[in-house]
Amino acid sequence: MPNRLANETSPYLLQHANNPVDWYAWGQEALERSKIEDKPILLSIGYSACHWCHVMERESFENEAIAALMNQNFINIKVDREERPDLDAVYMEAVQMLTGSGGWPMTVFLTPEGKPFYGGTYFPPVDSMNMPGFPRLLQSISEAYQTNRGEIERVTGQLVEQLGRSSQLEKGITPLSAEILHQAYSTLAANFDYQNGGFGSAPKFPQPMTPEFLLRYYHHGYNQRALEMVEMTLEKMAHGGMYDQIGGGFHRYSTDAYWLVPHFEKMLYDNALLSKLYLHAYQLTQGGMYRRICEETLDYVLREMTDLQGGFYSAQDADSEGEEGKFFVWTPQEIRDVLGEGDARIFGDFFGVTEGGNFEGNSILNRRLNEGQFAEQHGISSEELINLLARSKQKLLAVRDQRIHPLLDDKVLAGWNGLMLRSFAEAGAALGRQDYLDAASNNASFLLDEMRLEGRLLRTWREGQAKLLGYLEDYSGVADGLLALHEATLEPHWLTEAITLSDQMIDLFWDEGIGGFYDTGKDHESLVIRPRDIFDNAQPSGSSVASDVLMKLAVITGNDDYASKAAAPMRSLIQIMGRAPGGTGHWLAVLDFYVSMPKEIAIVGPKGDPATKNLLNTVFQRYLPNKVVVGSGSPLPPFKKGSEEWISPLLEGRDLMDGKPTAFVCQNYVCQLPVTEPEDLVKQLEV
């Protein structure tokens, strides 16, 4: 018989709806029952694409005897960390303080007031490898709660006192300068894996914000090696098994140092950030491989991760048919059955398919050579090889599509959609892909129409139901995506919506006392602490994206308050950015914008005019990380502050020159002459 989770929308919670555990979703009902019955709370946090979450469910939560222990002694709450990043952040910090590490599934024991007193991650069903069996742990925790309440109160008091300290930085007064960028580069260069690309050893995460900073560093002419580090990393990732060689898109991380064996789940945020990184590498170098990977990744998102209403789904699982990676791996015979002997031999050689395999007897496709090198070694032309690979991948993708697919987490998260919105907008403008611009526009309309309630942005949507108050990462991410969409299309509506969200963001999340943003709004439920995550991890922090958006809007609107609120948090992070660039990658990009002289580009012209599009294409075909773009049709309407048609002073006094669409470029308080021809605009952009 289904439990209460059957009424939820999260695919992760619905996975547990038929457990014999008497699960609650997080809410007042569960907290009140804990107080009334004087039982501790067992809080279990995970996400739908988490392999070990599935393992613990099968071993413990589906076990009648273990479920009976849970139901008898605890009030059991299940949380989707992607829906509730606030709870995840608070209790992950507690688990890390208690155990020295963290991860998912996360298991935390709380008092009825929500205060943590014990926790960990995965627990096996029986004692194993120095880990207590889950039933023994449950009995010990229940007994301690009933007989040793004083000790539990002591532990919770100490924990709650320490929670949040890591983000309590003093307000900084030190001037922000490019010296921090140089310190960060030196730290990264010392930790780079010059053999395999990326940073550190196994497991190896893509960390896309770090290469983004290195591209900027190279672009300024600071050090040639910065680009070499990025190019090695991007090539190794694109050639390894972490990249889906058949269907496009990236898995979450590599379990080894070589990018070969991935953890097979695919996350929306990874593919948003990596497609944008490969796009920027293409803009800078014109390397065809970078464009191909960007397009294949975005095409995968359109094909498999996009709702008919325009939202982007959250994740695809690592497992199918109970086995991790089964959907993605191949045997030589499977490939011969699809391609025939001749094509299969060449394709298998190119992608490292062997009888013994490289993953549990099967082969994860990976590339050891580029097309030119392989073609030369095998005595065929590059063109012939490229055509063979293209038609083979198409055939194999069609056959793979008939397999049982990994679980799709089809909830739509506002913040993650904002990241993907920016990627589609930028790629559409840079690559001339109208389908990408259409996807971006559809997504923006969906977020604004379906994921707001009385003007308040919401966190999650699934099957027509949106809920949960949006967090800082939702407001900043969607505002950033809308800003990118305005730049790519010159539609004023997207800019005014970005400004509206940014003003709400300041009202809901800004705190003058700390000189920064909290992750939860002032209208959010009270937790044991108000969470504030300032570090860039697998995705940029809500705070760094908020500063990024406000920094750009300050230039666009002339609003000095935006600029001061954007800079204040960075002053508190000065020392950390130089010493720990791996956790401040996006902050470094924001700092780079702040200490640089961004180009202010205004384009005026009818939106459907090819000449207007040519000017816009000229801007986006180049790698210009520190720029703002505003645009409007012509003739310009009379100026009215706050008007949807003209909200930026950068458009003041700007109109067509000689009746032609016109571009205006300013930088460092100096404006160049208006131009109507793309080649003249190129010269101004390259100054």
Side-chain angles (χ1 to χ4, degrees):
M1 181 175 175
N3 56 48
R4 293 174 189 81
L5 299 185
N7 299 318
E8 296 297 313
T9 58
S10 158
Y12 175 66
L13 298 186
L14 290 170
Q15 286 172 13
H16 295 78
N18 290 302
N19 295 165
V21 177
D22 186 17
W23 287 118
Y24 285 85
W26 181 275
Q28 278 304 118
E29 183 184 2
L31 301 176
E32 285 300 323
R33 184 179 166 195
S34 175
K35 292 176 183 175
I36 292 169
E37 298 186 12
D38 193 26
K39 287 183 179 179
I41 293 167
L42 191 165
L43 175 65
S44 176
I45 301 180
Y47 60 101
S48 70
C50 166
H51 172 71
W52 284 101
C53 297
H54 300 327
V55 173
M56 191 165 177
E57 181 191 14
R58 288 195 297 269
E59 293 177 342
S60 294
F61 303 149
E62 293 179 354
N63 182 299
E64 295 281 353
I66 294 177
L69 270 177
M70 294 171 66
N71 296 337
Q72 179 181 345
N73 297 298
F74 301 93
I75 303 303
N76 304 292
I77 299 179
K78 175 61 76 172
V79 166
D80 182 341
R81 69 172 295 265
E82 296 168 355
E83 282 194 337
R84 294 299 304 261
D86 55 331
L87 297 172
D88 184 61
V90 169
Y91 294 114
M92 178 62 76
E93 184 178 357
V95 168
Q96 289 170 336
M97 289 167 60
L98 286 163
T99 68
S101 63
W104 302 276
M106 179 163 49
T107 309
V108 199
F109 296 91
L110 318 176
T111 68
E113 295 74 34
K115 297 177 181 179
F117 62 89
Y118 189 80
T121 53
Y122 163 80
F123 291 101
V126 295
D127 294 0
S128 174
M129 298 177 63
N130 297 320
M131 287 189 289
F134 198 45
R136 184 161 71 86
L137 177 72
L138 294 173
Q139 290 170 328
S140 298
I141 293 291
S142 176
E143 183 178 338
Y145 185 80
Q146 299 302 328
T147 63
N148 201 356
R149 196 70 60 90
E151 175 64 13
I152 285 177
E153 289 176 357
R154 186 188 67 80
V155 171
T156 59
Q158 289 180 341
L159 276 174
V160 172
E161 185 181 350
Q162 294 297 319
L163 283 175
R165 289 253 175 123
S166 63
S167 61
Q168 291 175 2
L169 303 175
E170 292 185 12
K171 284 186 177 181
I173 57 174
T174 307
L176 298 167
S177 71
E179 180 57 33
I180 304 164
L181 305 179
H182 302 318
Q183 293 172 6
Y185 171 75
S186 297
T187 302
L188 290 171
N191 290 289
F192 186 70
D193 182 347
Y194 289 93
Q195 196 99 34
N196 306 296
F199 299 88
S201 57
K204 188 169 280 183
F205 289 81
Q207 297 179 274
M209 290 162 284
T210 302
E212 288 278 14
F213 161 66
L214 292 173
L215 286 180
R216 288 168 172 265
Y217 199 79
Y218 166 81
H219 183 63
H220 289 304
Y222 291 141
N223 196 309
Q224 170 72 31
R225 179 168 282 185
L227 179 61
E228 294 170 4
M229 291 160 68
V230 175
E231 293 211 88
M232 171 184 271
T233 301
L234 296 193
E235 180 174 303
K236 294 285 188 180
M237 285 198 301
H239 285 186
M242 205 187 82
Y243 183 70
D244 182 354
Q245 304 292 342
I246 295 292
F250 288 87
H251 300 294
R252 186 162 170 250
Y253 64 87
S254 174
T255 61
D256 53 52
Y258 321 109
W259 309 106
L260 173 61
V261 179
H263 189 39
F264 286 92
E265 65 202 60
K266 286 183 178 180
M267 312 301 294
L268 184 71
Y269 57 77
D270 283 326
N271 287 286
L273 296 170
L274 287 166
S275 59
K276 181 161 64 85
L277 171 60
Y278 278 85
L279 174 69
H280 291 167
Y282 171 69
Q283 288 173 314
L284 184 63
T285 68
Q286 296 300 298
M289 184 269 284
Y290 303 134
R291 174 171 183 159
R292 176 177 64 81
I293 297 297
C294 171
E295 290 187 294
E296 287 179 358
T297 300
L298 293 178
D299 290 347
Y300 147 72
V301 173
L302 287 180
R303 185 180 69 246
E304 299 187 34
M305 298 288 283
T306 304
D307 188 85
L308 290 176
Q309 294 194 53
F312 301 124
Y313 300 142
S314 295
Q316 286 177 320
D317 207 333
D319 298 6
S320 58
E321 301 180 68
E323 294 182 29
E324 184 176 9
K326 183 173 183 178
F327 182 77
F328 298 100
V329 296
W330 297 86
T331 65
Q333 187 59 52
E334 286 174 329
I335 290 177
R336 285 193 291 269
D337 289 344
V338 178
L339 303 182
E341 289 288 342
D343 284 3
R345 179 179 55 79
I346 295 175
F347 184 90
D349 284 351
F350 185 82
F351 282 109
V353 180
T354 63
E355 292 296 338
N358 54 27
F359 179 74
E360 300 177 359
N362 297 294
S363 289
I364 300 168
L365 302 187
N366 68 103
R367 300 161 52 128
R368 292 163 292 177
L369 302 171
N370 64 37
E371 288 86 349
Q373 294 167 326
F374 184 91
E376 184 177 349
Q377 283 189 9
H378 288 71
I380 57 177
S381 70
S382 292
E383 183 180 5
E384 184 182 353
L385 175 64
I386 290 169
N387 289 336
L388 182 150
L389 295 176
R391 68 173 179 264
S392 297
K393 289 195 326 189
Q394 195 171 18
K395 291 177 182 177
L396 290 168
L397 180 61
V399 169
R400 192 180 80 175
D401 203 42
Q402 303 305 310
R403 295 176 175 176
I404 296 175
H405 284 244
L407 176 78
L408 174 67
D409 188 327
D410 58 354
K411 69 176 179 292
V412 175
L413 298 173
W416 297 12
N417 271 244
L419 297 175
M420 188 56 80
L421 169 56
R422 170 168 280 278
S423 297
F424 271 112
E426 283 197 35
L431 306 178
R433 290 284 299 261
Q434 186 60 45
D435 57 336
Y436 291 172
L437 291 176
D438 291 343
S441 297
N442 291 339
N443 181 250
S445 296
F446 171 82
L447 293 171
L448 296 174
D449 294 343
E450 301 297 327
M451 295 190 68
R452 286 197 293 191
L453 179 63
E454 297 177 354
R456 179 63 158 93
L457 187 66
L458 301 178
R459 169 66 172 174
T460 183
W461 177 97
R462 183 173 182 268
E463 294 184 348
Q465 184 179 349
K467 63 181 185 180
L468 301 179
L469 297 179
Y471 300 95
L472 175 63
E473 70 170 78
D474 299 307
Y475 271 84
S476 61
V478 174
D480 186 51
L482 292 171
L483 188 54
L485 186 55
H486 168 74
E487 292 188 322
T489 64
L490 305 182
E491 287 287 348
H493 173 64
W494 305 128
L495 177 56
T496 57
E497 290 286 8
I499 292 170
T500 296
L501 282 178
S502 298
D503 289 340
Q504 291 176 347
M505 178 177 74
I506 291 170
D507 179 58
L508 288 166
F509 303 98
W510 176 262
D511 186 279
E512 199 63 43
I514 63 171
F517 292 96
Y518 281 108
D519 292 339
T520 54
K522 63 185 184 182
D523 56 352
H524 197 77
E525 70 179 285
S526 178
L527 303 174
V528 289
I529 61 165
R530 191 178 182 188
R532 183 187 181 216
D533 186 2
I534 55 175
F535 293 103
D536 301 316
N537 295 303
Q539 61 194 92
S541 69
S543 289
S544 65
V545 179
S547 281
D548 192 9
V549 170
L550 293 180
M551 199 77 73
K552 292 171 182 173
L553 287 181
V555 177
I556 290 171
T557 66
N559 185 333
D560 292 336
D561 184 57
Y562 289 162
S564 65
K565 285 182 168 59
M570 283 193 292
R571 293 196 176 93
S572 302
L573 284 163
I574 284 178
Q575 299 303 321
I576 297 175
M577 283 193 275
R579 290 197 316 266
T584 55
H586 194 62
W587 281 115
L588 290 165
V590 182
L591 175 63
D592 178 55
F593 186 97
Y594 180 83
V595 300
S596 301
M597 295 177 290
K599 292 188 184 295
E600 304 161 3
I601 304 165
I603 297 176
V604 178
K607 297 182 188 67
D609 192 320
T612 307
K613 290 184 178 180
N614 287 340
L615 293 173
L616 193 58
N617 291 344
T618 300
V619 172
F620 275 94
Q621 284 165 1
R622 276 149 193 79
Y623 180 67
L624 298 170
N626 295 326
K627 69 177 185 302
V628 296
V629 181
V630 294
S632 181
S634 180
L636 287 171
F639 175 71
K640 180 181 177 185
K641 189 168 184 179
S643 161
E644 181 170 296
E645 286 299 321
W646 184 16
I647 205 162
S648 173
L650 299 181
L651 290 166
E652 187 172 1
R654 305 290 170 77
D655 213 335
L656 304 182
M657 188 172 72
D658 299 329
K660 299 178 181 178
T662 306
F664 304 81
V665 178
C666 301
Q667 189 173 22
N668 196 27
Y669 309 106
V670 175
C671 293
Q672 302 188 52
L673 291 173
V675 294
T676 59
E677 299 301 324
E679 52 268 29
D680 295 327
L681 179 56
V682 168
K683 294 174 185 175
Q684 295 187 355
L685 295 175
E686 291 178 347
V687 171

